[in-house]
Amino acid sequence: MTTTGTPTGTTTGTVTGASTGLSESLIATLSGHHYTDAGIFRLEQEHIFESMWFCAARSSELAKPGAFRTVDVGRESVLLTRSRDHTVRAFFNVCRHRGAKLCTQESGEVKRAFQCPYHAWTYDLQGKLVAAPNLTKMPDIGRTAYGLMPVAVREWLGYVWVCLAEDPPSFEEQVIGDVVARLGDTEAIDRYDIADLEIGRRIVYDVRANWKLIVENFMECYHCATIHPELTEVLPEFADGYAAQYFVGHGAAFSPEAKGFTVDGSEGLDRIPTVAEEQDRRYYALTVKPQVFINLVPDHVIFHRMFPLAVDRTVVECDWLYLKDVVDSGRDISRSVELFDRVNRQDFDACERCQPAMSSRLYAKGGVLVPSEHHIGDFHTWVNGRLGMR
Ligand code: FES
Ligand SMILES: [Fe+2]
């Protein structure tokens, strides 16, 4: 795994026991080729990442008109920008002339238009074709018809979500529905005021593992006692192997000895004032399918977005979000960041350790899930359902 900092950061079909001869306690996982087969990954790109709402960027990366960010969503490059009316726009990052990639930088700012580096077709921030060599001599070229192709876009929790489907699914059902299924209601997440928090640190992890291994790992805590000594110190119940995600609405209580959610249990930062009393000194983890993990603690939010780039490679952008005053004051957030940075590295190392074995003949039929991991079987059923497989 390699990691990099970014401009905003300072560092860089489930089969059950009876039919397989497994004991009651065990459920089969997906078979190994689901994690190595380029054909399956292509189906996932098409039926999952290019069909569902996909969390692409932090809204603050598009702070003013002309600021842009490009992201890979499935097999497509998507250009995000903010137009003069301050709304966020998303387009296929493909020039309508002869298909050159319009914007080759990951982020930046243009004054008022995007110009294709090939023949200089130029598009305004709303995507309209506004200039091209000899354009006035070709009056029949529709400025909107040959404008950039728009992509559906929503802002929620201070993030920009896009959907490449021609007929996008309901955002409320797909995205907000996952949050409600985990927490019981939306109020529980609204109280963290995530849209108004600021990025204190962003770390980008380049993980040599299939995206599903990363989701599965995040969904269970059977591994916590083995690989997360710092986390189980702060959240002792995690040592029992039952993840906070296992129960609707449950948050794991901090150890009485922990002053805050930090690598050494020392005091955290200022508590988000709207967090409820019953949420204080608790940790909540959520998975928003297909590629977001959210971690809530009283003084910050850790927000992961996965970018599955290949069957065996996933880039994870992780933001640590704090109150604006905390970030502006330059207070030391390093012990706070270090706890989950270590957790991430421990998790991603484990995923990278599994990836090569996915092509082992021993794993051709997959492995097994113990009872505290059985909910991962629902994820496998969901993936297979999206792909039209049993
Ligand atoms: S491909 Fe973009 S201007 Fe020709
Ligand atoms: Fe973990």
Side-chain angles (χ1 to χ4, degrees):
M1 177 184 62
T2 54
T3 56
T4 49
T6 70
T8 42
T10 53
T11 60
T12 70
T14 307
V15 182
T16 49
S19 59
T20 58
L22 295 177
S23 72
E24 282 285 297
S25 302
L26 301 176
I27 288 178
T29 66
L30 295 174
S31 52
H33 77 283
H34 280 87
Y35 304 85
T36 59
D37 185 316
I40 289 185
F41 183 64
R42 206 202 68 76
L43 287 174
E44 291 170 346
Q45 288 177 311
E46 184 181 343
H47 297 289
I48 296 177
F49 306 114
E50 297 170 20
S51 300
M52 299 179 68
W53 287 98
F54 185 103
C55 190
R58 182 81 181 152
S59 298
S60 62
E61 292 179 76
L62 310 168
K64 51 179 169 165
F68 70 84
R69 170 87 204 260
T70 55
V71 289
D72 290 325
V73 180
R75 294 160 296 175
E76 302 285 354
S77 173
V78 175
L79 170 61
L80 308 168
T81 190
R82 195 173 291 277
S83 60
R84 302 244 155 253
D85 63 3
H86 286 270
T87 53
V88 171
R89 310 271 172 162
F91 306 102
F92 285 91
N93 188 18
V94 177
C95 179
R96 294 300 306 282
H97 175 220
R98 281 187 30 225
K101 189 172 190 178
L102 180 64
C103 211
T104 51
Q105 289 165 264
E106 191 180 283
S107 61
E109 201 180 315
V110 293
K111 262 208 162 65
R112 55 178 68 86
F114 294 95
Q115 187 174 68
C116 178
Y118 196 178
H119 313 89
W121 278 34
T122 304
Y123 307 89
D124 72 11
L125 301 179
Q126 321 236 44
K128 196 170 143 195
L129 178 66
V130 289
N134 305 327
L135 188 60
T136 49
K137 293 183 191 145
M138 302 177 280
D140 56 323
I141 298 182
R143 307 294 177 98
T144 304
Y146 283 92
L148 295 176
M149 195 56 79
V151 168
V153 64
R154 280 282 296 259
E155 281 184 274
W156 192 54
L157 304 177
Y159 282 86
V160 179
W161 307 66
V162 296
C163 182
L164 269 53
E166 270 176 42
D167 188 15
S170 156
F171 187 87
E172 282 65 26
E173 277 172 33
Q174 187 214 300
V175 177
I176 300 177
D178 266 6
V179 172
V180 171
R182 166 69 186 93
L183 293 179
D185 55 44
T186 50
E187 269 171 49
I189 196 164
D190 289 344
R191 293 195 206 104
Y192 290 83
D193 214 6
I194 300 176
D196 286 330
L197 301 181
E198 293 223 342
I199 300 179
R201 185 76 53 87
R202 169 174 290 177
I203 300 177
V204 181
Y205 305 85
D206 195 343
V207 188
R208 300 292 162 160
N210 183 269
W211 68 280
K212 297 189 294 299
L213 289 176
I214 300 174
V215 175
E216 293 159 11
N217 171 83
F218 190 74
M219 290 178 76
E220 55 93 357
C221 207
Y222 191 43
H223 66 271
C224 289
T226 327
I227 71 172
H228 296 317
E230 303 87 357
L231 185 66
T232 47
E233 196 70 33
V234 178
L235 305 174
E237 70 184 72
F238 273 20
D240 296 338
Y242 282 86
Q245 301 201 52
Y246 205 70
F247 311 100
V248 175
H250 176 73
F254 289 9
S255 145
E257 284 80 47
K259 292 199 177 93
F261 194 74
T262 56
V263 72
D264 52 4
S266 59
E267 199 76 56
L269 284 306
D270 298 347
R271 180 178 148 189
I272 300 163
T274 39
V275 165
E277 212 50 55
E278 70 266 20
Q279 293 171 309
D280 195 14
R281 296 184 56 78
R282 282 186 181 273
Y283 163 88
Y284 298 83
L286 302 76
T287 306
V288 181
K289 293 190 293 298
Q291 42 82 250
V292 173
F293 309 137
I294 309 173
N295 308 271
L296 308 168
V297 287
D299 63 335
H300 65 286
V301 170
I302 306 154
F303 203 106
H304 297 74
R305 283 165 297 125
M306 290 193 298
F307 294 86
L309 298 185
V311 69
D312 57 357
R313 183 179 171 209
T314 309
V315 165
V316 184
E317 282 191 13
C318 184
D319 295 335
W320 280 257
L321 307 165
Y322 298 87
L323 289 171
K324 185 175 184 328
D325 285 351
V326 168
V327 176
D328 289 352
S329 68
R331 286 176 54 194
D332 182 10
I333 57 171
S334 59
R335 284 191 300 276
S336 172
V337 170
E338 190 171 343
L339 175 54
F340 226 85
D341 181 33
R342 283 199 200 183
V343 170
N344 283 338
R345 288 167 200 276
Q346 290 155 350
D347 280 334
F348 300 152
D349 280 352
C351 295
E352 289 185 341
R353 220 162 21 246
C354 290
Q355 182 64 38
M358 296 296 108
S359 51
S360 162
R361 73 188 75 173
L362 201 74
Y363 210 77
K365 289 186 179 161
V368 291
L369 301 169
V370 300
S372 63
E373 303 171 305
H374 280 186
H375 54 299
I376 295 174
D378 297 338
F379 170 65
H380 294 155
T381 304
W382 175 82
V383 170
N384 280 339
R386 297 279 327 176
L387 271 44
M389 293 175 172
R390 254 189 342 115

